[in-house]
Amino acid sequence: MPFINSRVSVTMTKSQEESLKDKLGKAISIIPGKSEKWLMIEFADGCNLYFQGNNSEPAAFIEVKVFGSIPDSCLDELTGAICDIYETELQVKKERVYVKYEEVDKWGWNGGNF
């Protein structure tokens, strides 16, 4: 049950959004037991993001929430993949991307809880 919340300062086209969705869907499988089948993604574009005191260049803040734990061994690989995706698709330089991870032990779905 992963959720990726994507906030970017640039405006995205539908084609870029679709490509991001597909690539994030593949990248989430870096975490053992996670797949696109259960992935939910939110895209917010055109956000007024300031990084290092300015908003003169594109920036992104990505939150990855996962039911259960994320092995530490996966974090560098997933962060690298996410940064590569946003740099390739939206020209947001890797050094202007923050990725936040959150492990969640309570998660509801379909009228119940895991």
Side-chain angles (χ1 to χ4, degrees):
M1 284 44 85
F3 174 70
I4 297 176
N5 185 11
S6 170
R7 302 182 63 79
V8 297
S9 61
V10 298
T11 302
M12 299 187 319
T13 66
K14 279 295 182 192
S15 175
Q16 288 171 318
E17 188 175 301
E18 200 58 36
S19 183
L20 282 170
K21 176 194 70 73
D22 291 343
K23 290 180 178 185
L24 290 170
K26 289 178 179 65
I28 200 66
S29 68
I30 291 169
I31 302 172
K34 305 304 177 191
S35 70
E36 184 177 28
K37 179 179 179 184
W38 293 99
L39 176 62
M40 181 180 283
I41 304 173
E42 176 185 27
F43 292 113
D45 65 346
C47 298
N48 196 15
L49 297 175
Y50 283 79
F51 185 72
Q52 297 178 331
N54 72 70
N55 66 350
S56 61
E57 294 182 63
F61 179 69
I62 314 302
E63 293 178 288
V64 180
K65 299 181 184 195
V66 174
F67 176 64
S69 62
I70 305 169
D72 288 343
S73 61
C74 300
L75 293 175
D76 282 342
E77 184 179 357
L78 185 53
T79 298
I82 289 170
C83 288
D84 286 343
I85 291 166
Y86 281 80
E87 188 169 61
T88 300
E89 295 300 318
L90 300 177
Q91 292 69 55
V92 178
K93 294 176 187 172
K94 295 175 187 180
E95 62 264 20
R96 291 191 56 88
V97 177
Y98 272 164
V99 182
K100 175 190 174 212
Y101 293 96
E102 185 175 340
E103 299 171 329
V104 180
D105 61 353
K106 294 176 177 64
W107 201 287
W109 171 73
N110 196 25
N113 293 289
F114 293 100

